[in-house]
Every structure is written in C-alpha cells, then in structure tokens.
Amino acid sequence: YQNLQFTKVSSNEIKVFNENFFKTTEGVSLEYSLMENGVEVVSKTTENLEIPAQQSENISLDFEYSRDASKEYYVNLKAILGQEKGLLEKGHVVANDQFKLQDAAVNKVLSTTKRLTVDFDKKSKKYTLSGTDFSYVFDTEDFGFASLKMNGEEILKERLALNFWRAPIDNDYGAFKPSKQKKHAAYFAWREAAKNTTILSRDFERLDATGVQLTYLFDLPNLEAQNTIVYTVYGDGRLKVKSVFHPKKGRKYAYMPRYGLSLALSNKYDTTTYYGRGPFENYSDRNRAANVGLYTSKVADFQFDYIRPQENGYRTDVRHASFVSGLGTGILIQGKSPFSFSALHNPISDF
C-alpha cells in the first residue's frame, strides 16, 4: 500500500497521483533510474514534488541516453523522504514502481559451424553427442537426458525429469481438506504424477554436421496422458529442450499445480545470476513489488525458512539464469519467453 500512485504516460513521461486527502507531497523527492537489461545506466532525481492532495503531476523522464534496440529497458521509480518525518528516517522509500519502456528486438537465431560428434552404442542404446569440451548422453531410461559433462566433469547430480508439483503453502492447507473432501486429494497426487513413466518411442535425426535432434514420446499412466520432449544439441554445446503435454481426449485435470522440468546440479555450482523479478521470492499472483533486474546470490539464499516447511524461493518473469562455480564455469538457461524457477539444496517434493 502506498499513497503515491504512478502511471506510465509514454516512454519518457510518467504521472504521479497524490492519493492523500489532506497532505501534499512536500519534502518528497522522486528518484528515477533507467535499467538496461536489468542494470542501472542512468539515475536522476526530481527534488521536492509538492503535489497537492488528490492531485497529479506529469514528470518528464529526460535520461539523455541513447537506447540500444537489441536491449530491454525499464524505469524504476522511488519516492523518497528528503527529511526525517515522525518515525520515518530521511531517505525512507514511501512509494515505488517500475514500468517497461522498451522491448528488446527479437534475437537472431544462433548458428554455429562447430561439428558435433555422434556415437551410438547398440547394446545400451545410448547416444553420446560431443564437441570440443562437452558431451551429452541420451538413453532409454526415465526422461532420456542422462549426462552432461564439461571438460570431462559431470554437471548433473540427477537426471532431468518432468515436474508437476508445487509444494503446498499455508493457504493450501487451509483450503484443501483431503481427509474430508475426496476431490481435494487430487492436489496432493501431483507430487508423484511424473512417476512410472514409460518411453513409447525415440526418434533420432541428424540435422546437419553441427546438430542433432532426439524426440521422445512418454506415457504418463498416472495422468492418463502422454508427453513429448524434443532435445536438440548443437556443436557449440547448446541444448534446446521443448516439452509438450498431451492429455487424453476429454480428460480434465483438477488443481494441476505446475508444469515444468527439474534437474539437480553438482553443488559446486552454487552461485546463480538471473535476469527477472527479485531480489526476494515472488509468484505470478503477487510479484509487482519485485522489480525486474539482474540479481546474483548463493543458492542457499533462495530458501526461506517458514515456520511450516512449504513452497519457497521462487522467481518469476525470468529471461535467463546461470549457475556457476567458484572457477566461473557452469551452465546458462534461457527461455524463448520469460519463465519461472527456483533453486534449492533439496527437492521441492520434500516440502
């Protein structure tokens, strides 16, 4: 809740409305910052707004900065006390908001000239796809993706898997009563929904000398559904993953908490940098307070210890996220569109 409301008028002008009925905004300054791909590049301040009660004022955002069409821009707004007022110290932020000023131009499709080596073991039915300093292994178990190595060192601690589970929160325990309402038990069944998966088919396609594609079709008997995952590996080490859920015709699902993928990395990759909403945890139904920005933290800092163990540590509207070791090596995950993720030192099924 805040008594100053912001509205975007144009890409270089905003309107500030003083919601107070009797007080002006005397003594309040407006700080506005231009964010380029999550990083502040210009910051300016308008001193002493002095907007009368129930009145508004338009303010020009003159950053005098040439924007790059290939990058995304936001403006961060902060209304700050210029002097101590009651219990509030000088510099206290009484209102804030964020608006997008420019979308990034669509990136060109990446290409590579680096060759990808393919080895197939007929006995184990494993495909090993390798390049200069990496290798992937795909087999016929679980969801197919078995190994990722960089310079001979394994990155994965567990195999990639489908995930439908979002751990319950306090509100869920209040809303769902599986012991009294049989239909409510459907929510908690999603914890193990991706278990007992069977591979129905696997197709291999050599795209060219620099890339291959493996398409898996899975049967999900617990859900009366199927799921397709397409893995595309390129000679420069990139892996593209596309997953599509195919419900049985006419089948309806109650309370599906989430749909996505999970994997476990070696705990040496314990530093994450992401471009999305933060720096604190946020969810799609309550994330306006978390500004889009570029944030870095330890994986351990993602966990929030609620009194009752429950869902925590989530981030939304993420463009990309990396997980690196102390040596600066690791992986980078990018989405075709913004995605959400969490990073924890234990499976979310523990909660």
Side-chain angles (χ1 to χ4, degrees):
Y1 180 80
Q2 55 191 35
N3 285 323
L4 293 182
Q5 303 298 330
F6 302 97
T7 304
K8 177 185 171 185
V9 177
S10 68
S11 62
N12 54 19
E13 186 178 14
I14 57 104
K15 181 170 71 173
V16 184
F17 175 66
N18 179 8
E19 203 171 58
N20 288 301
F21 283 96
F22 307 105
K23 295 192 300 183
T24 71
T25 58
E26 183 182 1
V28 175
S29 299
L30 178 66
E31 179 183 292
Y32 49 101
S33 304
L34 182 65
M35 310 298 291
E36 181 183 77
N37 282 356
V39 178
E40 182 183 296
V41 290
V42 182
S43 182
K44 293 193 174 185
T45 302
T46 297
E47 302 289 349
N48 204 7
L49 290 178
E50 291 196 28
I51 303 173
Q54 291 290 295
Q55 299 294 313
S56 61
E57 180 180 325
N58 285 23
I59 297 176
S60 175
L61 305 176
D62 184 15
F63 288 113
E64 298 177 349
Y65 185 84
S66 180
R67 300 178 197 169
D68 185 336
S70 68
K71 297 180 179 180
E72 186 177 46
Y73 290 89
Y74 279 85
V75 59
N76 288 357
L77 305 166
K78 291 182 181 179
I80 302 172
L81 286 181
Q83 58 188 14
E84 182 179 335
K85 183 175 291 187
L87 298 176
L88 303 179
E89 298 178 350
K90 178 181 178 181
H92 179 79
V93 178
V94 294
N96 72 88
D97 212 332
Q98 181 185 61
F99 297 102
K100 181 182 286 188
L101 300 181
Q102 176 183 300
D103 286 311
V106 177
N107 292 329
K108 295 181 179 179
V109 177
L110 296 176
S111 62
T112 181
T113 58
K114 295 183 178 180
R115 297 181 64 87
L116 183 69
T117 301
V118 179
D119 292 308
F120 178 66
D121 186 303
K122 292 184 178 180
K123 184 176 181 180
S124 64
K125 298 182 180 180
K126 291 181 179 179
Y127 283 99
T128 300
L129 313 175
S130 56
T132 305
D133 56 0
F134 71 90
S135 67
Y136 290 92
V137 175
F138 296 89
D139 58 19
T140 55
E141 297 180 23
D142 300 318
F143 292 94
F145 184 13
S147 170
L148 165 57
K149 291 183 178 180
M150 288 196 304
N151 297 316
E153 184 175 358
E154 182 61 57
I155 302 296
L156 304 183
K157 292 289 286 186
E158 295 179 10
R159 303 160 64 99
L160 179 142
L162 273 179
N163 176 57
F164 297 93
W165 182 241
R166 188 219 55 165
I169 61 174
D170 286 336
N171 286 351
D172 295 326
Y173 285 110
F176 294 116
K177 305 293 183 183
S179 61
K180 297 180 180 180
Q181 295 283 344
K182 187 177 180 179
K183 65 178 182 178
H184 289 175
Y187 179 90
F188 297 91
W190 288 102
R191 188 197 301 261
E192 307 295 333
K195 300 293 184 182
N196 306 319
T197 303
T198 302
I199 297 177
L200 298 177
S201 66
R202 180 182 66 169
D203 297 320
F204 174 87
E205 180 183 359
R206 182 93 203 203
L207 303 178
D208 53 35
T210 66
V212 302
Q213 183 170 284
L214 290 107
T215 302
Y216 287 80
L217 178 63
F218 304 95
D219 182 46
L220 304 173
N222 292 351
L223 298 176
E224 298 182 46
Q226 295 180 351
N227 198 95
T228 300
I229 298 182
V230 181
Y231 301 104
T232 308
V233 180
Y234 300 94
D236 57 4
R238 284 179 293 129
L239 168 65
K240 179 181 178 181
V241 182
K242 180 180 179 181
S243 182
V244 181
F245 183 68
H246 309 289
K248 182 179 179 181
K249 187 176 181 180
R251 179 74 159 84
K252 294 183 179 180
Y253 299 93
Y255 314 120
M256 181 189 284
R258 185 172 285 166
Y259 176 74
L261 299 167
S262 65
L263 60 111
L265 305 178
S266 169
N267 59 13
K268 69 184 289 184
Y269 304 103
D270 64 346
T271 299
T272 178
T273 296
Y274 70 94
Y275 178 31
R277 292 194 179 274
F280 44 82
E281 69 174 16
N282 54 90
Y283 292 81
S284 58
D285 61 342
R286 193 176 176 85
N287 63 5
R288 276 289 303 279
N291 285 344
V292 173
L294 188 66
Y295 302 102
T296 298
S297 71
K298 292 293 186 181
V299 169
D301 295 331
F302 270 64
Q303 181 163 324
F304 189 91
D305 295 321
Y306 289 97
I307 294 175
R308 184 207 302 264
Q310 58 189 281
E311 165 69 20
N312 69 92
Y314 210 54
R315 303 295 191 274
T316 62
D317 289 343
V318 178
R319 281 70 168 163
H320 57 77
S322 64
F323 295 86
V324 300
S325 68
L327 298 176
T329 60
I331 66 171
L332 171 68
I333 301 171
Q334 292 181 297
K336 187 176 181 180
S337 58
F339 62 94
S340 301
F341 84 104
S342 60
L344 301 167
H345 281 305
N346 60 284
I348 59 172
S349 57
D350 285 354
F351 295 115

